[in-house]
Amino acid sequence: MTDFILAIILLILALGGVVVRKTYFYIPARELKRQAANQDRNAVQLYRAVAFGNSLRGLLWLYIGLTSAGSLVLMARVLPVWAGLLIVGPLLWITFSLLPATRSTKVGTWLTMIVTPTIAWTLNYLHPLLSRGADVVERRYTAPAHTKLFELNDLLELIERQQDQSDNRLSAQELEIVKRALSFDDYKVRDVLTPRKQVKTVLADDTVGPILIDELHKSHQSFVLVREKAAKGKGVIVGTLEYNKLDLKSTGKVQDVMNHTLYYAHENDSLREAFQAFFATNSPMFVVVNSFEEYVGIITVKAMLHQLLGNVFDEDFDQYDDLGAVAARHPSGQKKLKKSADHADQDPVKTEDEVVE
């Protein structure tokens, strides 16, 4: 009877070891370290042991193995083989299959918090020995951790799951940017171009003045195409006109202020190829043509960036030519700069050669 009671006690201790091991490694060590750095009470306590890495794994597996083996030996001494199998079989399944696959519980965390000081104290002394043995086992017999990712769709599905994860700290915008970046090569120029019928055009001999500038402003287009003078407004495209470079003082003809250099992109080019064209020409806009050299629309770098990054251009601020306005966007930086300047006026600055008052 004593052997049976001891066998049950050892089995319970083995189950406790499995629960403790699951609690320690339920959260990745790097995340537990972040939580500990943020003074999370549970994380600070748990990381005392998790910081030992493979030594902790080796100690827990040694403990679980010894208690499990002792329980089986004692049960075999007091029970028939069939009875032992009926008891041990389900318990082994619970211990090594079911428990590790379940979520971490409050009871498990409480138990782990209690035993952590003892485990950390033990590892302080056994770490050199356990780490060598655990490292050898991991290097020779443990399969490398698999990411479970095989192709791009697997990564996209992972991002979708990340959005619904309760402890996710990635913003919706950050996840959207990652998804867009991964899918960027799936898009062609034709997918993001401004169609020909929506593009504002002007004639080369049109007069630049308030009326034309107002028309361009109402079109909400940064670039318009310039055609040569022809009947019914048709003609060959001879240049581009950038609205942002015009003001109320602009005068003359369109042909005097337009950009005469044209750059082209094919509607079947990938956005990656279109970006390559931008880096090669530094042109923010391209005339899009098809295989018959027909003009079908325009594409801008802004449109490509919008496809890549999403809605990151919603901010109304546009005073980038105003030094004071740009500096005022981050007033805390001004305060820090002023504080540093005041401190510099009071304290000497040590250089490699001397101390300058």
Side-chain angles (χ1 to χ4, degrees):
M1 186 63 180
T2 302
D3 288 345
F4 181 76
I5 294 175
L6 288 175
I8 296 299
I9 292 174
L10 288 174
L11 191 57
I12 293 174
L13 291 174
L15 289 173
V18 173
V19 171
V20 169
R21 183 184 182 279
K22 178 188 69 175
T23 304
Y24 276 136
F25 300 110
Y26 183 73
I27 298 176
R30 61 181 180 275
E31 172 60 17
L32 192 65
K33 184 177 181 180
R34 293 190 194 107
Q35 295 180 8
N38 291 328
Q39 300 303 312
D40 181 277
R41 186 177 65 86
N42 289 349
V44 170
Q45 178 78 327
L46 295 178
Y47 193 69
R48 290 177 57 192
V50 173
F52 285 96
N54 284 338
S55 295
L56 175 62
R57 290 184 175 87
L59 178 64
L60 292 177
W61 277 123
L62 182 63
Y63 169 82
I64 294 169
L66 291 176
T67 51
S68 301
S71 176
L72 293 177
V73 170
L74 291 174
M75 281 191 180
R77 294 174 58 181
V78 298
L79 294 175
V81 175
W82 61 270
L85 290 175
L86 287 178
I87 295 175
V88 173
L91 289 177
L92 287 176
W93 174 74
I94 292 173
T95 302
F96 296 103
S97 181
L98 179 62
L99 275 179
T102 58
R103 296 180 179 179
S104 180
T105 62
K106 292 183 179 179
V107 174
T109 302
W110 171 79
L111 175 62
T112 307
M113 295 281 287
I114 290 177
V115 301
T116 292
T118 302
I119 293 176
W121 179 85
T122 304
L123 288 172
N124 277 329
Y125 296 97
L126 298 181
H127 174 63
L129 178 62
L130 289 172
S131 63
R132 286 196 292 268
D135 289 343
V136 170
V137 171
E138 183 178 36
R139 186 167 55 252
R140 294 188 179 181
Y141 304 107
T142 303
H146 201 290
T147 63
K148 306 298 189 296
L149 301 175
F150 297 91
E151 56 184 36
L152 184 59
N153 286 337
D154 297 334
L155 194 53
L156 291 172
E157 289 177 7
L158 177 64
I159 296 172
E160 293 288 347
R161 288 167 50 196
Q162 180 70 25
Q163 290 178 318
D164 299 327
Q165 187 171 295
S166 59
D167 54 356
N168 167 52
R169 293 199 302 273
L170 294 170
S171 69
Q173 185 181 37
E174 290 171 334
L175 292 172
E176 182 66 19
I177 289 175
V178 174
K179 285 174 21 180
R180 285 177 174 272
L182 292 173
S183 305
F184 191 68
D185 281 344
D186 296 337
Y187 291 90
K188 303 290 186 182
V189 167
R190 63 173 177 268
D191 298 320
V192 298
L193 62 77
T194 302
R196 173 178 178 172
K197 62 182 180 181
Q198 297 179 13
V199 178
K200 173 73 175 175
T201 61
V202 295
L203 298 179
D205 62 350
D206 282 347
T207 301
V208 177
I211 296 177
L212 178 62
I213 293 175
D214 184 60
E215 290 180 0
L216 299 182
H217 174 71
K218 291 179 179 179
S219 71
H220 302 291
Q221 295 181 16
S222 300
F223 297 89
V224 296
L225 297 182
V226 181
R227 292 182 180 274
E228 65 179 1
K229 185 176 180 179
K232 297 182 180 180
K234 296 182 179 181
V236 178
I237 297 173
V238 293
T240 61
L241 183 63
E242 188 172 354
Y243 168 73
N244 292 333
K245 292 186 177 180
L246 300 177
D247 55 38
L248 295 178
K249 297 180 181 180
S250 298
T251 58
K253 299 291 186 180
V254 169
Q255 60 190 357
D256 300 326
V257 295
M258 73 179 187
N259 184 354
H260 294 266
T261 304
L262 291 173
Y263 294 101
Y264 301 91
H266 196 286
E267 62 177 350
N268 290 327
D269 284 345
S270 67
L271 293 188
R272 184 184 297 273
E273 291 173 319
F275 260 123
Q276 181 179 352
F278 163 67
F279 289 122
T281 63
N282 200 32
S283 173
M285 191 274 288
F286 296 88
V287 177
V288 181
V289 298
N290 58 22
S291 298
F292 301 101
E293 299 185 7
E294 296 172 337
Y295 151 61
V296 296
I298 64 172
I299 186 171
T300 63
V301 173
K302 182 177 180 179
M304 291 187 282
L305 288 174
H306 188 279
Q307 181 60 48
L308 176 62
L309 303 176
N311 295 321
V312 297
F313 304 105
D314 294 336
E315 189 174 339
D316 294 330
F317 184 85
D318 59 359
Q319 299 172 297
Y320 296 103
D321 58 347
D322 187 332
L323 174 61
V326 172
R329 297 183 71 192
H330 302 282
S332 60
Q334 289 181 328
K335 293 178 181 178
K336 291 179 180 178
L337 185 61
K338 184 177 184 301
K339 184 177 180 181
S340 299
D342 294 341
H343 185 71
D345 292 339
Q346 298 173 3
D347 297 336
V349 179
K350 187 176 182 180
T351 67
E352 291 183 356
D353 300 325
E354 59 181 349
V355 174
V356 182
E357 294 291 344

